Amino acid sequence: MTDHKAWPLYEIFLRSRNGLSHKHVGSLHAPDAEMAIANARDAYTRRGEGVSIWAVPSASIIASDPSDKATMYEPALDKGYRHATYYDIPEEVKNM
Amino acid sequence: MAQLSAADTEALIAYSTRIGDDALILSHRLAEMCAHAPELEEDIALTNIALDLIGQTRVLYSYAAELENKGRDEDKIAFLREERDYRNLLLLEQPNEDFAHVIARQFLFSAMSLPFFEALASSTDDTLRGVAEKAVKEVRYHLSHAAQWVIRLGDGTAESHARMQAAIDALWMYTGEMFVMDDIDRRLLALGIGVDLDSLRPAFNDAVGNVLDDATLTRPADGWMASGGRSGRHTEYMGFILTELQYMQRTYPDMTW
Protein backbone atom coordinates (compact mmCIF):
# COMPACT_ATOMS: atom_id res chain seq x y z
CA MET A 1 0.00 0.00 0.00
CA THR A 2 3.06 2.24 -0.13
CA ASP A 3 2.46 3.29 -3.71
CA HIS A 4 -0.92 4.92 -3.91
CA LYS A 5 -1.13 4.36 -7.63
CA ALA A 6 -0.62 0.64 -7.20
CA TRP A 7 -4.32 -0.09 -6.76
CA PRO A 8 -5.48 -1.52 -10.08
CA LEU A 9 -8.77 -0.62 -11.70
CA TYR A 10 -11.59 -3.17 -11.84
CA GLU A 11 -14.71 -3.19 -13.99
CA ILE A 12 -17.78 -4.18 -12.02
CA PHE A 13 -20.63 -6.25 -13.44
CA LEU A 14 -23.88 -6.89 -11.57
CA ARG A 15 -26.56 -9.49 -12.10
CA SER A 16 -29.76 -7.82 -10.99
CA ARG A 17 -31.82 -11.02 -10.85
CA ASN A 18 -31.26 -14.70 -11.40
CA GLY A 19 -31.75 -15.51 -15.05
CA LEU A 20 -30.44 -12.17 -16.30
CA SER A 21 -26.90 -11.65 -17.48
CA HIS A 22 -24.34 -9.55 -15.64
CA LYS A 23 -24.34 -5.92 -16.74
CA HIS A 24 -21.54 -3.42 -16.52
CA VAL A 25 -22.28 -0.83 -13.81
CA GLY A 26 -18.99 1.02 -13.41
CA SER A 27 -15.44 0.69 -12.24
CA LEU A 28 -13.46 1.11 -9.05
CA HIS A 29 -9.99 0.74 -7.58
CA ALA A 30 -9.10 -2.08 -5.23
CA PRO A 31 -5.89 -3.61 -3.92
CA ASP A 32 -6.95 -7.07 -5.15
CA ALA A 33 -9.88 -8.98 -6.62
CA GLU A 34 -11.42 -9.94 -3.29
CA MET A 35 -11.44 -6.34 -2.10
CA ALA A 36 -12.84 -5.31 -5.47
CA ILE A 37 -15.90 -7.44 -4.70
CA ALA A 38 -16.15 -5.87 -1.24
CA ASN A 39 -15.81 -2.35 -2.64
CA ALA A 40 -18.35 -3.11 -5.35
CA ARG A 41 -20.77 -4.29 -2.68
CA ASP A 42 -20.49 -0.89 -0.99
CA ALA A 43 -20.44 1.24 -4.10
CA TYR A 44 -22.99 -0.50 -6.29
CA THR A 45 -25.28 -2.88 -4.39
CA ARG A 46 -26.45 -1.01 -1.30
CA ARG A 47 -29.91 -0.41 -2.71
CA GLY A 48 -30.72 -3.98 -3.61
CA GLU A 49 -29.37 -3.76 -7.13
CA GLY A 50 -28.02 -7.23 -7.50
CA VAL A 51 -27.62 -10.86 -6.55
CA SER A 52 -24.17 -11.43 -8.02
CA ILE A 53 -21.04 -9.37 -8.65
CA TRP A 54 -18.25 -9.90 -11.16
CA ALA A 55 -15.06 -7.92 -10.85
CA VAL A 56 -12.79 -7.98 -13.89
CA PRO A 57 -9.38 -6.31 -14.01
CA SER A 58 -9.83 -3.45 -16.47
CA ALA A 59 -6.47 -4.38 -17.96
CA SER A 60 -7.97 -7.73 -19.03
CA ILE A 61 -10.56 -6.10 -21.25
CA ILE A 62 -9.58 -5.73 -24.87
CA ALA A 63 -11.76 -2.99 -26.31
CA SER A 64 -12.41 -1.82 -29.83
CA ASP A 65 -10.93 1.53 -30.73
CA PRO A 66 -13.56 4.29 -31.08
CA SER A 67 -11.63 5.69 -34.05
CA ASP A 68 -12.29 2.42 -35.89
CA LYS A 69 -16.02 3.08 -35.76
CA ALA A 70 -16.35 3.48 -39.52
CA THR A 71 -14.53 0.26 -40.36
CA MET A 72 -16.14 -1.73 -37.60
CA TYR A 73 -19.80 -0.77 -37.64
CA GLU A 74 -20.90 1.47 -40.49
CA PRO A 75 -20.93 -1.14 -43.29
CA ALA A 76 -23.98 -2.68 -41.64
CA LEU A 77 -26.06 0.46 -42.22
CA ASP A 78 -26.21 0.20 -46.03
CA LYS A 79 -26.94 -3.50 -46.03
CA GLY A 80 -30.56 -3.45 -45.06
CA TYR A 81 -31.05 -7.13 -45.79
CA ARG A 82 -29.01 -7.86 -42.67
CA HIS A 83 -31.83 -6.49 -40.53
CA ALA A 84 -35.08 -8.26 -39.85
CA THR A 85 -37.02 -5.04 -40.51
CA TYR A 86 -35.89 -5.11 -44.15
CA TYR A 87 -38.32 -7.90 -44.97
CA ASP A 88 -42.05 -7.50 -45.54
CA ILE A 89 -44.04 -9.57 -43.17
CA PRO A 90 -47.02 -11.38 -44.72
CA GLU A 91 -50.44 -10.24 -43.46
CA GLU A 92 -51.07 -13.72 -42.12
CA VAL A 93 -48.28 -13.37 -39.65
CA LYS A 94 -49.93 -11.39 -36.88
CA ASN A 95 -47.22 -11.17 -34.26
CA MET A 96 -43.52 -11.27 -34.72
CA MET B 1 -43.41 -11.87 26.60
CA ALA B 2 -44.42 -11.75 30.24
CA GLN B 3 -44.95 -8.38 31.92
CA LEU B 4 -41.67 -7.03 33.27
CA SER B 5 -41.25 -5.59 36.74
CA ALA B 6 -40.24 -1.94 37.06
CA ALA B 7 -36.67 -2.94 37.88
CA ASP B 8 -36.51 -5.30 34.91
CA THR B 9 -37.82 -2.58 32.62
CA GLU B 10 -35.16 -0.19 33.97
CA ALA B 11 -32.52 -2.78 33.13
CA LEU B 12 -33.93 -3.28 29.64
CA ILE B 13 -33.87 0.48 29.02
CA ALA B 14 -30.25 0.65 30.17
CA TYR B 15 -29.35 -2.38 28.05
CA SER B 16 -30.92 -1.00 24.87
CA THR B 17 -29.34 2.38 25.48
CA ARG B 18 -25.83 1.08 25.94
CA ILE B 19 -25.88 -1.21 22.93
CA GLY B 20 -27.10 1.87 21.08
CA ASP B 21 -24.29 3.95 22.63
CA ASP B 22 -21.71 1.47 21.32
CA ALA B 23 -23.10 1.82 17.82
CA LEU B 24 -23.47 5.61 17.99
CA ILE B 25 -19.95 6.33 19.22
CA LEU B 26 -18.30 3.92 16.79
CA SER B 27 -20.45 5.36 14.03
CA HIS B 28 -19.23 8.84 14.92
CA ARG B 29 -15.61 7.74 14.81
CA LEU B 30 -16.17 6.20 11.38
CA ALA B 31 -17.97 9.30 10.18
CA GLU B 32 -14.85 11.27 11.06
CA MET B 33 -13.09 9.20 8.41
CA CYS B 34 -15.41 10.51 5.72
CA ALA B 35 -13.12 11.99 3.05
CA HIS B 36 -10.07 10.87 5.05
CA ALA B 37 -9.82 7.19 4.13
CA PRO B 38 -6.88 6.09 1.98
CA GLU B 39 -9.09 5.69 -1.11
CA LEU B 40 -12.51 6.86 -2.21
CA GLU B 41 -13.70 3.24 -2.20
CA GLU B 42 -12.68 2.85 1.44
CA ASP B 43 -14.41 6.12 2.29
CA ILE B 44 -17.63 4.64 0.98
CA ALA B 45 -17.07 1.38 2.84
CA LEU B 46 -16.42 3.04 6.20
CA THR B 47 -19.34 5.44 5.93
CA ASN B 48 -21.59 2.55 4.91
CA ILE B 49 -20.60 0.79 8.11
CA ALA B 50 -21.26 4.02 10.01
CA LEU B 51 -24.75 4.17 8.48
CA ASP B 52 -25.50 0.58 9.49
CA LEU B 53 -24.51 1.48 13.04
CA ILE B 54 -26.67 4.61 13.06
CA GLY B 55 -29.56 2.44 11.94
CA GLN B 56 -29.01 0.12 14.89
CA THR B 57 -28.70 3.08 17.25
CA ARG B 58 -31.98 4.62 16.14
CA VAL B 59 -34.04 1.50 16.78
CA LEU B 60 -32.41 0.87 20.13
CA TYR B 61 -32.78 4.46 21.36
CA SER B 62 -36.37 4.66 20.14
CA TYR B 63 -37.12 1.45 22.01
CA ALA B 64 -35.49 2.78 25.19
CA ALA B 65 -37.48 6.01 24.86
CA GLU B 66 -40.70 4.08 24.36
CA LEU B 67 -40.11 1.87 27.42
CA GLU B 68 -39.07 4.85 29.49
CA ASN B 69 -42.13 6.85 28.42
CA LYS B 70 -40.84 10.17 29.72
CA GLY B 71 -41.24 12.19 26.56
CA ARG B 72 -37.71 11.61 25.28
CA ASP B 73 -37.06 10.41 21.75
CA GLU B 74 -34.06 8.97 19.93
CA ASP B 75 -32.62 12.43 19.26
CA LYS B 76 -32.81 13.53 22.87
CA ILE B 77 -31.09 10.34 23.96
CA ALA B 78 -28.39 10.76 21.34
CA PHE B 79 -27.72 14.46 21.72
CA LEU B 80 -28.84 15.69 25.12
CA ARG B 81 -27.10 13.48 27.64
CA GLU B 82 -24.02 14.24 29.72
CA GLU B 83 -20.79 12.33 29.27
CA ARG B 84 -21.40 10.17 32.34
CA ASP B 85 -24.73 9.00 30.95
CA TYR B 86 -23.13 7.38 27.91
CA ARG B 87 -22.36 3.72 28.54
CA ASN B 88 -20.41 2.74 25.44
CA LEU B 89 -17.31 0.56 25.54
CA LEU B 90 -14.07 2.51 25.92
CA LEU B 91 -12.67 0.78 22.83
CA LEU B 92 -15.13 2.61 20.61
CA GLU B 93 -14.20 6.12 21.67
CA GLN B 94 -10.49 5.59 20.94
CA PRO B 95 -9.23 8.05 18.33
CA ASN B 96 -8.64 7.18 14.70
CA GLU B 97 -4.86 7.84 14.91
CA ASP B 98 -4.14 6.14 11.58
CA PHE B 99 -5.95 3.76 9.24
CA ALA B 100 -4.58 0.75 11.13
CA HIS B 101 -6.23 2.00 14.34
CA VAL B 102 -9.54 2.51 12.55
CA ILE B 103 -9.37 -1.05 11.24
CA ALA B 104 -8.12 -2.60 14.48
CA ARG B 105 -10.92 -0.97 16.50
CA GLN B 106 -13.53 -2.09 13.98
CA PHE B 107 -12.10 -5.59 13.81
CA LEU B 108 -11.91 -6.17 17.57
CA PHE B 109 -15.40 -4.81 18.17
CA SER B 110 -17.00 -6.67 15.25
CA ALA B 111 -15.36 -9.92 16.37
CA MET B 112 -17.36 -9.60 19.60
CA SER B 113 -20.39 -7.92 18.09
CA LEU B 114 -21.17 -10.69 15.57
CA PRO B 115 -21.52 -13.51 18.14
CA PHE B 116 -23.29 -11.00 20.43
CA PHE B 117 -26.03 -10.29 17.90
CA GLU B 118 -26.18 -13.96 16.90
CA ALA B 119 -26.97 -14.74 20.54
CA LEU B 120 -29.32 -11.76 20.90
CA ALA B 121 -31.26 -13.04 17.89
CA SER B 122 -32.81 -15.61 20.24
CA SER B 123 -33.79 -13.02 22.84
CA THR B 124 -37.30 -13.31 24.26
CA ASP B 125 -37.68 -9.57 23.64
CA ASP B 126 -39.25 -8.97 20.22
CA THR B 127 -37.56 -5.64 19.52
CA LEU B 128 -34.07 -6.74 20.52
CA ARG B 129 -34.53 -9.92 18.53
CA GLY B 130 -35.54 -7.87 15.50
CA VAL B 131 -32.57 -5.53 15.86
CA ALA B 132 -30.26 -8.52 16.24
CA GLU B 133 -31.57 -10.39 13.22
CA LYS B 134 -30.88 -7.39 11.01
CA ALA B 135 -27.59 -6.52 12.72
CA VAL B 136 -26.15 -10.01 12.25
CA LYS B 137 -26.11 -9.54 8.49
CA GLU B 138 -24.58 -6.09 8.77
CA VAL B 139 -21.98 -6.97 11.36
CA ARG B 140 -20.91 -10.08 9.46
CA TYR B 141 -19.88 -7.74 6.68
CA HIS B 142 -18.23 -5.25 9.06
CA LEU B 143 -16.14 -8.07 10.50
CA SER B 144 -15.25 -9.43 7.11
CA HIS B 145 -14.28 -6.00 5.79
CA ALA B 146 -12.10 -5.20 8.80
CA ALA B 147 -10.56 -8.69 8.78
CA GLN B 148 -9.64 -8.33 5.09
CA TRP B 149 -7.78 -5.16 5.93
CA VAL B 150 -6.05 -6.57 9.01
CA ILE B 151 -4.73 -9.37 6.80
CA ARG B 152 -3.64 -7.09 3.98
CA LEU B 153 -1.93 -4.58 6.25
CA GLY B 154 -0.41 -7.19 8.55
CA ASP B 155 0.83 -9.31 5.67
CA GLY B 156 1.75 -6.26 3.59
CA THR B 157 4.84 -4.10 3.69
CA ALA B 158 7.19 -3.81 6.67
CA GLU B 159 5.59 -0.48 7.56
CA SER B 160 1.97 -1.62 7.24
CA HIS B 161 2.81 -4.70 9.33
CA ALA B 162 4.41 -2.60 12.05
CA ARG B 163 1.52 -0.11 12.15
CA MET B 164 -1.16 -2.80 12.17
CA GLN B 165 0.61 -4.63 15.01
CA ALA B 166 1.00 -1.35 16.91
CA ALA B 167 -2.73 -0.61 16.55
CA ILE B 168 -3.75 -4.08 17.77
CA ASP B 169 -1.32 -3.78 20.68
CA ALA B 170 -2.59 -0.32 21.61
CA LEU B 171 -6.27 -1.28 21.57
CA TRP B 172 -5.98 -4.72 23.13
CA MET B 173 -6.38 -3.46 26.69
CA TYR B 174 -9.87 -2.23 25.78
CA THR B 175 -11.13 -5.67 24.71
CA GLY B 176 -11.58 -7.09 28.22
CA GLU B 177 -14.48 -4.75 28.92
CA MET B 178 -16.50 -6.31 26.10
CA PHE B 179 -16.98 -9.51 28.11
CA VAL B 180 -17.58 -8.15 31.60
CA MET B 181 -21.03 -9.01 32.96
CA ASP B 182 -22.61 -6.49 35.29
CA ASP B 183 -25.94 -6.52 37.16
CA ILE B 184 -27.87 -5.42 34.08
CA ASP B 185 -26.38 -8.21 31.95
CA ARG B 186 -27.08 -10.82 34.62
CA ARG B 187 -30.64 -9.66 35.20
CA LEU B 188 -31.51 -9.67 31.51
CA LEU B 189 -29.75 -12.97 30.92
CA ALA B 190 -31.88 -14.52 33.65
CA LEU B 191 -34.98 -13.20 31.88
CA GLY B 192 -33.88 -14.71 28.56
CA ILE B 193 -33.57 -11.21 27.09
CA GLY B 194 -29.86 -10.53 27.31
CA VAL B 195 -26.71 -12.31 26.21
CA ASP B 196 -24.17 -14.26 28.23
CA LEU B 197 -21.09 -12.19 27.34
CA ASP B 198 -18.73 -14.85 28.63
CA SER B 199 -20.09 -17.28 26.05
CA LEU B 200 -18.90 -14.95 23.26
CA ARG B 201 -15.24 -15.47 24.06
CA PRO B 202 -14.65 -18.63 21.99
CA ALA B 203 -16.05 -17.00 18.83
CA PHE B 204 -14.04 -13.85 19.51
CA ASN B 205 -10.87 -15.84 20.15
CA ASP B 206 -11.35 -17.89 16.99
CA ALA B 207 -11.95 -14.87 14.78
CA VAL B 208 -9.05 -12.93 16.24
CA GLY B 209 -6.71 -15.92 16.26
CA ASN B 210 -7.40 -16.91 12.66
CA VAL B 211 -7.19 -13.41 11.25
CA LEU B 212 -4.05 -12.43 13.15
CA ASP B 213 -2.41 -15.67 12.02
CA ASP B 214 -3.26 -14.97 8.41
CA ALA B 215 -2.02 -11.43 8.90
CA THR B 216 1.30 -12.64 10.37
CA LEU B 217 0.51 -10.57 13.44
CA THR B 218 0.97 -11.51 17.07
CA ARG B 219 -1.96 -11.66 19.45
CA PRO B 220 -1.11 -9.47 22.44
CA ALA B 221 -1.02 -11.09 25.88
CA ASP B 222 -4.12 -10.54 28.02
CA GLY B 223 -2.70 -8.11 30.56
CA TRP B 224 -4.40 -5.35 32.47
CA MET B 225 -7.71 -4.41 30.90
CA ALA B 226 -9.25 -0.95 30.98
CA SER B 227 -12.92 -0.64 31.87
CA GLY B 228 -15.36 2.02 32.95
CA GLY B 229 -17.38 2.80 29.86
CA ARG B 230 -20.32 0.67 31.01
CA SER B 231 -20.52 2.70 34.22
CA GLY B 232 -20.05 6.07 32.53
CA ARG B 233 -16.36 6.59 33.28
CA HIS B 234 -14.80 7.47 29.97
CA THR B 235 -11.39 8.19 28.51
CA GLU B 236 -10.29 11.75 27.81
CA TYR B 237 -11.50 11.43 24.21
CA MET B 238 -15.18 11.17 25.03
CA GLY B 239 -15.69 14.86 25.82
CA PHE B 240 -14.32 15.84 22.43
CA ILE B 241 -16.61 13.39 20.68
CA LEU B 242 -19.66 14.76 22.45
CA THR B 243 -18.64 18.36 21.82
CA GLU B 244 -18.78 17.71 18.13
CA LEU B 245 -21.66 15.25 18.15
CA GLN B 246 -23.92 17.48 20.24
CA TYR B 247 -22.89 20.88 18.91
CA MET B 248 -25.87 21.52 16.65
CA GLN B 249 -28.49 20.30 19.07
CA ARG B 250 -27.01 22.29 21.95
CA THR B 251 -26.59 25.44 19.91
CA TYR B 252 -29.98 25.29 18.23
CA PRO B 253 -32.20 23.37 20.69
CA ASP B 254 -34.87 21.23 19.06
CA MET B 255 -33.57 21.94 15.59
CA THR B 256 -34.54 19.51 12.86
CA TRP B 257 -33.11 19.06 9.38
Side-chain angles (χ1 to χ4, degrees), chain B:
Chain B
M1 201 174 71
Q3 193 64 40
L4 294 178
S5 72
D8 291 342
T9 306
E10 276 305 306
L12 181 53
I13 293 168
Y15 197 69
S16 305
T17 307
R18 70 194 195 183
I19 307 169
D21 288 346
D22 284 349
L24 178 73
I25 298 304
L26 180 55
S27 171
H28 182 78
R29 278 297 189 216
L30 291 171
E32 289 176 352
M33 289 300 292
C34 187
H36 293 277
E39 287 281 346
L40 173 65
E41 284 79 358
E42 190 54 24
D43 242 47
I44 297 170
L46 292 177
T47 42
N48 270 336
I49 294 174
L51 283 174
D52 285 344
L53 294 168
I54 279 287
Q56 295 168 12
T57 308
R58 293 190 59 183
V59 185
L60 290 162
Y61 282 178
S62 299
Y63 186 45
E66 180 193 319
L67 290 169
E68 180 186 69
N69 199 20
K70 285 182 186 160
R72 291 204 299 179
D73 61 10
E74 51 176 308
D75 286 338
K76 289 205 164 56
I77 295 178
F79 298 117
L80 294 177
R81 279 180 299 155
E82 302 300 326
E83 179 175 332
R84 283 275 178 141
D85 299 328
Y86 286 82
R87 298 299 158 94
N88 56 282
L89 296 164
L90 297 181
L91 172 69
L92 307 174
E93 61 200 49
Q94 298 310 302
N96 292 334
E97 298 286 353
D98 64 6
F99 185 56
H101 275 72
V102 174
I103 291 302
R105 186 184 57 213
Q106 189 67 47
F107 172 64
L108 294 171
F109 177 67
S110 299
M112 180 283 294
S113 190
L114 178 59
F116 173 82
F117 281 120
E118 282 171 346
L120 193 65
S122 16
S123 172
T124 53
D125 184 271
D126 292 342
T127 305
L128 292 186
R129 197 169 60 242
V131 170
E133 279 165 3
K134 182 159 182 290
V136 163
K137 291 180 237 165
E138 296 168 342
V139 174
R140 189 169 286 134
Y141 177 74
H142 303 171
L143 177 60
S144 141
H145 184 86
Q148 300 268 5
W149 272 117
V150 171
I151 293 167
R152 278 161 183 75
L153 294 172
D155 194 17
T157 64
E159 185 184 351
S160 72
H161 176 89
R163 289 171 72 161
M164 196 65 237
Q165 183 70 59
I168 296 279
D169 290 348
L171 296 176
W172 193 256
M173 68 169 179
Y174 298 104
T175 56
E177 191 183 27
M178 300 195 292
F179 306 101
V180 176
M181 300 280 286
D182 64 9
D183 289 344
I184 293 168
D185 289 299
R186 280 187 289 269
R187 181 185 283 267
L188 292 178
L189 178 61
L191 291 168
I193 295 174
V195 171
D196 179 2
L197 298 178
D198 213 41
S199 74
L200 309 179
R201 281 180 195 268
F204 175 81
N205 287 335
D206 279 358
V208 169
N210 292 337
V211 171
L212 292 186
D213 276 354
D214 283 353
T216 71
L217 295 167
T218 309
R219 180 188 167 127
D222 284 330
W224 177 80
M225 291 289 176
S227 65
R230 288 290 189 237
S231 51
R233 289 172 294 119
H234 294 278
T235 61
E236 65 268 36
Y237 306 111
M238 190 64 180
F240 294 96
I241 292 177
L242 294 184
T243 304
E244 190 170 316
L245 183 74
Q246 299 184 332
Y247 173 80
M248 292 298 275
Q249 198 51 237
R250 298 243 185 231
T251 309
Y252 305 101
D254 297 325
M255 69 161 294
T256 52
W257 291 105

Side-chain angles (χ1 to χ4, degrees), chain A residues 4 7 29 32 35 42 46, chain B residues 38-39 41 48 141 149 152:
Chain A
H4 208 66
W7 281 26
H29 292 93
D32 53 45
M35 288 300 285
D42 282 319
R46 294 279 298 188
Chain B
E39 287 281 346
E41 284 79 358
N48 270 336
Y141 177 74
W149 272 117
R152 278 161 183 75

